[in-house]
């Protein structure tokens, strides 16, 4: 693992010092990441556009960590600042989401391969879900970053999945990879989630930020990936399930996933 500030060039390839951007909507979704960075490298915090951006390293990997707050505009504004003010080389979003796929349960993890805005509809002028004048409805996550995140999730489950399930009374977590859909709504009814399933049968999870981040990253050519732990199933139980999961469990998952993901990244640098 390279030490912070180590300029050594290994295997002929220059070591990138551009940071990784890591963001979540809500503080619980970052777990202890900011404190861990403070302990490892110290933190430099820059306030920009009413958000705090924390710069430091974790497992030797330079990171900029911030909170987007909730919704697509908040997410787009924040990721745009990560790109322009902090020159991130890639963006990773971590958080919770509602399960939409029939096999996706509370406590499972979904890593996006594609992201779509389910509330975007300029039909009949443009096909439903297509971003007008961009000609895209499904934005791809970066395949390599998504695989690294999924591998971190699989390691977490192999090492701590059974204990985590026993501790929180959930089933042993599974990792799913596929379509995550985003919109400016907290989906919390059986009819609402069924309408999403009918319109987008391959959707695995619904949340409020991911596809906005993916659109901005697509437009600027910045790799991005999204990992979501399932806090609820977007039905009538969603408000209570979401609040309980966010306050009691989300941080444990984020710590477990981000630690493994960033440790692997740090040792590869
Ligand atoms: N500020 C409030 C509301 C959070 S909204 C609070 O803290 O209680 C829910 C957040 O979790 C969003 O960031 C969204 O991305 C995600 N999410 C979890 N379950 C969801 C669902 N069923 N529908 C939409 N978003 C969901």
């Amino acid at each position: 693992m390279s030490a912070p500030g180590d300029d050594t060039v290994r295997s002929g390839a220059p070591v990138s010092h551009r940071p990784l951007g890591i963001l979540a909507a809500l503080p619980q979704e970052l777990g202890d990441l900011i404190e861990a960075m403070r302990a490892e490298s110290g933190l430099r915090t820059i306030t920009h556009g009413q958000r705090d951006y924390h710069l430091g390293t974790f497992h030797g990997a330079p990171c900029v960590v911030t909170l987007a707050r909730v919704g697509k505009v908040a997410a787009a504004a924040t990721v745009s600042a990560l790109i322009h003010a902090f020159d991130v080389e890639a963006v990773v979003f971590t958080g919770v989401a509602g399960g939409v796929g029939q096999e996706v349960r509370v406590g499972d993890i979904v890593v996006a391969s594609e992201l779509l805005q389910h509330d975007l509809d300029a039909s009949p002028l443009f096909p439903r879900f297509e971003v007008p004048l961009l000609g895209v409805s499904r934005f791809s996550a970066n395949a390599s970053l998504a695989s690294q995140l999924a591998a971190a999730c699989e390691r977490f489950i192999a090492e701590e999945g059974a204990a985590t399930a026993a501790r929180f009374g959930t089933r042993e977590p599974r990792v799913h990879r596929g379509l995550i859909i985003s919109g400016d709504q907290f989906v919390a009814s059986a009819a609402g989630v069924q309408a999403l399933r009918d319109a987008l049968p391959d959707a695995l999870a619904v949340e409020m930020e991911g596809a906005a981040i993916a659109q901005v990253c697509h437009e600027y050519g910045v790799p991005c990936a999204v990992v979501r732990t399932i806090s609820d199933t977007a039905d009538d139980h969603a408000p209570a399930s979401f609040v309980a999961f966010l306050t009691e469990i989300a941080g444990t998952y984020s710590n477990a996933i981000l630690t493994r993901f960033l440790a692997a990244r740090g040792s590869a640098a």
Side-chain angles (χ1 to χ4, degrees):
M1 187 173 82
S2 60
D6 179 355
D7 283 325
T8 311
V9 174
R10 295 189 176 82
S11 63
V15 175
S16 171
H17 288 280
R18 290 171 68 203
L20 178 69
I22 300 179
L23 73 165
L26 303 165
Q28 296 89 340
E29 295 173 318
L30 284 177
D32 300 324
L33 179 60
I34 292 172
E35 285 314 310
M37 286 169 56
R38 192 194 307 278
E40 177 176 308
S41 63
L43 278 186
R44 195 154 67 94
T45 298
I46 297 172
T47 304
H48 183 68
Q50 300 185 15
R51 287 167 179 80
D52 289 340
Y53 293 81
H54 303 286
L55 286 67
T57 72
F58 191 48
H59 288 277
C63 300
V64 185
V65 178
T66 191
L67 293 173
R69 303 201 289 264
V70 175
K72 293 193 301 177
V73 173
T78 309
V79 78
S80 183
L82 280 173
I83 293 168
H84 293 109
F86 298 97
D87 193 29
V88 294
E89 71 165 2
V91 172
V92 169
F93 190 102
T94 173
V96 298
V100 175
Q102 298 287 359
E103 301 301 317
V104 179
R105 309 276 163 77
V106 171
D108 284 0
I109 305 169
V110 177
V111 178
S113 50
E114 294 180 310
L115 300 109
L116 169 149
Q117 296 172 48
H118 69 77
D119 58 351
L120 206 166
D121 187 356
S123 63
L125 304 178
F126 297 90
R128 187 177 177 194
F129 307 126
E130 184 173 302
V131 179
L133 309 182
L134 191 62
V136 181
S137 55
R138 291 174 180 240
F139 296 93
S140 296
N142 179 268
S144 161
L145 273 182
S147 291
Q148 292 167 39
L149 275 175
C153 296
E154 295 287 5
R155 279 199 299 280
F156 158 51
I157 290 170
E159 291 164 14
E160 292 172 21
T164 304
R167 179 173 162 206
F168 297 122
T170 48
R171 77 165 179 187
E172 189 155 342
R174 293 184 193 162
V175 181
H176 308 267
R177 298 180 68 172
L179 177 66
I180 291 182
I181 58 177
S182 313
D184 285 321
Q185 299 159 2
F186 183 75
V187 181
S189 72
V193 70
Q194 189 56 47
L196 292 175
R197 282 190 196 115
D198 292 344
L200 295 159
D202 60 334
L204 296 179
V206 63
E207 37 85 314
M208 302 177 69
E209 298 85 18
I213 287 159
Q215 178 180 335
V216 174
C217 285
H218 167 88
E219 291 178 358
Y220 287 104
V222 173
C224 82
V226 175
V227 58
R228 293 280 186 173
T229 305
I230 300 303
S231 56
D232 59 87
T233 41
D235 52 14
D236 303 72
H237 307 292
S241 182
F242 164 78
V243 170
F245 197 96
L246 185 73
T247 49
E248 291 159 28
I249 312 180
T252 300
Y253 273 75
S254 278
N255 288 339
I257 296 166
L258 290 176
T259 299
R260 289 169 176 82
F261 170 73
L262 292 169
R265 216 179 143 79
S267 62

